[in-house]
Amino acid sequence: MPQILVTSGWAYLDEPAEDAWARSVAMLRSVCDYADTRGIRVALEALQPSESVLVNTAQDVAHILEAVDRPNLKACIDFGAMEVAGDTIDGYFEVLGDKIVHTHFVDVGGGTTHLAWGDGDRDMRADLDRLVARGYRGVVSAETYDWRYFADPAAADAQVMAEYRRAIGA
């Protein structure tokens, strides 16, 4: 099924988070309703607290999925946001189960998220094993978004693929 990835959005710093939450729920309903007419699934990722005050944890993702209440709205695990929130792969699956359809599969380390694998501290093989153990069959995408990759993003992609091949023994 075709899929798009979205976030909850952000709040203005001078407004109550509840107002931004209501706006986010309404926006996500509209996006999901339109996507549904096109047969498109919508995957929502949590953001880090420095990025948004609305959806930061697996529990927050579950809460907004329930509030939006659209069958085509699913969840994305973003490893960066997951680690910053103190969540785990298993924790995400305990909260969201088969609603997880996308993973931002990134390395994290030294206080920096969205690193190419090998530039952080996560154990790719262990993370792959956890996803497999949970029966995950969704999308796994690299999201190497850090200043060090801007000049040569293809090199970051190649590094991710080399680490992946090493992790799976290929």
Side-chain angles (χ1 to χ4, degrees):
M1 168 180 277
Q3 176 175 290
I4 61 169
L5 183 70
V6 298
T7 70
S8 61
W10 301 265
Y12 295 111
L13 297 179
D14 63 349
E15 77 174 324
E18 298 79 23
D19 292 351
W21 176 268
R23 195 171 53 248
S24 179
V25 168
M27 177 271 305
L28 287 167
R29 284 179 181 153
S30 294
V31 168
C32 288
D33 290 346
Y34 179 77
D36 190 51
T37 68
R38 303 287 192 263
I40 297 172
R41 179 171 50 205
V42 180
L44 180 127
E45 69 172 310
L47 296 173
Q48 298 173 52
S50 63
E51 299 169 318
S52 177
V53 297
L54 298 178
V55 176
N56 305 123
T57 67
Q59 215 43 65
D60 293 343
V61 174
H63 185 202
I64 201 160
L65 264 60
E66 182 179 324
V68 173
D69 192 28
R70 294 299 189 268
N72 63 328
L73 182 60
K74 304 297 182 185
C76 169
I77 303 175
D78 180 291
F79 278 23
M82 175 186 76
E83 189 158 307
V84 167
D87 284 330
T88 63
I89 293 169
D90 286 328
Y92 256 82
F93 278 93
E94 288 164 13
V95 172
L96 293 155
D98 64 359
K99 292 178 181 152
I100 300 169
V101 298
H102 194 109
T103 301
H104 274 166
F105 192 65
V106 299
D107 208 349
V108 179
T112 303
T113 62
H114 302 104
L115 296 174
W117 283 96
D119 288 345
D121 304 320
R122 293 193 66 87
D123 180 336
M124 182 189 275
R125 182 73 231 177
D127 286 344
L128 288 168
D129 288 345
R130 292 309 323 134
L131 291 170
V132 169
R134 288 298 187 153
Y136 182 68
R137 299 286 183 261
V139 174
V140 176
S141 65
E143 184 189 20
T144 50
Y145 187 76
D146 187 71
W147 63 268
R148 69 187 88 182
Y149 311 122
F150 293 169
D152 191 1
D157 291 343
Q159 178 176 322
V160 168
M161 290 310 299
E163 290 292 321
Y164 177 74
R165 287 184 188 99
R166 184 190 58 70
I168 64 169

